Amino acid sequence: MSSGAIIMMVLALSITWGGAAICIAIAIKKRNKRES
């Protein structure tokens, strides 16, 4: 594999996991607001 392909894979993974983490963080914040 070329270095360019590896970089693209890392970027795609970081975007996927980053988006999931943001969604989870928003869900936790909403849940906390509802409880309080």
Side-chain angles (χ1 to χ4, degrees):
M1 287 181 62
S2 65
S3 57
I6 293 169
I7 291 168
M8 288 296 293
M9 282 181 60
V10 172
L11 279 173
L13 279 174
S14 62
I15 291 168
T16 302
W17 286 107
I22 291 168
C23 288
I24 291 168
I26 291 170
I28 291 171
K29 285 182 181 178
K30 285 183 179 179
R31 189 176 289 177
N32 286 344
K33 283 182 181 177
R34 285 179 186 171
E35 288 179 359
S36 64

